[in-house]
Amino acid sequence: MENQKPSLMLVDGMALLFRAFYATAVTGQFMINSKGIPTNGIHGFIKHLFTAVSSFKPSHVAVCWDMGSKTFRTELFSSYKGNRGEAPVELIPQFDLVKEVVESFDIPNIGMVGFEADDCIGTIARQLSGHAKVSILTGDQDILQLLDDNISVILLKKGYGNYLVHTPETFFEEKGITPRQMIDLKALMGDPSDNYPGVKGIGEKTALKLLKEYNHVEGIISNLDGLSKSIKAKIEQDLEMLHLSRRLAEIKCDVPVNIALEEAGLKIVKEKALNKLTELELRGVQRLLPIDEAIVS
């Protein structure tokens, strides 16, 4: 039998942590432990992580994090993500603690100041997709631009254990464009959740139509005279914003982070992991850990 390619799951840590936090915060279940520390986000993060590990059975796992809100994108456009409020006070202590928990599982934490988690994910996915089948676990559609023959995306749906898995084929079926064209799609229509406008008055329908015809932003710009008067006027009026939005939308795949595949091998040391969970008084998640009971004496 030929050697099976290793499989690496890259996890968008913030996506899991925020999703877990807000799912319980609405009912006020912050799971405050005896030290007065809320652990609801961490608890749900662990549950999301290992539910996905048991569903997709990766041989290797790494978690990528945002490292503060200032990045090269906020330097390009100061209102980038400027619509996001401050993190809730109950979530703040969980940012550092969740990384300690990941460390106790001997899973690498990866992040780089000045870049978003997505940029680290993109960089590592590209670096290692020749050596492993890469899947990316996130709740964020933006990452779909990274899809290729060796990179798939697992989108978290509501609840635990519900996923939508995308490959370049399923993406094309859904949108009628290639994953790379998603960058141009966002450049044209903007992204309200990241707070940049794209071209005023161009929505998804028009943007998709233009991309199917002219391939990318440059193709559209070099064919302005072939467009309807109103679309031409809109693009000309927002040309600078269109170029800027494209730079904001593109995930950088050349961030100065690297990781050797063997560093991410999934090998949890039972005692080390359980000590950390006990210290934080995280109950009911031990059984989710992929620890081979037969080997551990």
Side-chain angles (χ1 to χ4, degrees), residues 23-34:
T24 44
V26 285
T27 50
Q29 297 165 305
F30 293 113
M31 299 175 75
I32 294 168
N33 67 17
S34 66

Side-chain angles (χ1 to χ4, degrees), residues 187-212:
L188 288 159
M189 55 187 278
D191 185 338
S193 75
D194 286 341
N195 207 40
Y196 59 89
V199 177
K200 267 187 210 67
I202 289 190
E204 184 171 38
K205 217 171 121 181
T206 307
L208 285 170
K209 191 169 163 281
L210 290 170
L211 289 174
K212 285 172 193 171

Side-chain angles (χ1 to χ4, degrees), residues 1 22 34 43 90 115 119-120 130 192 194 231 287 292 295:
M1 206 175 101
Y22 286 111
S34 66
H43 188 275
E90 295 89 355
F115 299 96
D119 302 309
C120 295
D194 286 341
I231 290 177
R287 58 189 170 74
D292 194 336
I295 299 170

Side-chain angles (χ1 to χ4, degrees), residues 11-21 23-24 31 39-53 61-65 91 94-95 97-103 105 107-109 137 156 160 277 282 285 288:
V11 178
D12 177 347
M14 290 300 184
L16 273 63
L17 185 70
F18 274 95
R19 181 172 284 253
F21 177 84
T24 44
M31 299 175 75
T39 58
N40 62 322
I42 302 170
H43 188 275
F45 169 92
I46 296 169
K47 211 171 142 183
H48 274 305
L49 176 64
F50 290 121
T51 303
V53 164
V61 179
V63 184
C64 296
W65 299 98
L91 181 55
Q94 300 188 59
F95 288 136
L97 288 174
V98 72
K99 294 194 188 84
E100 289 177 22
V101 169
V102 170
E103 205 173 303
F105 300 149
I107 292 173
N109 284 307
L137 180 67
L156 293 156
Y160 287 93
L277 297 178
L282 286 159
V285 284
L288 296 169

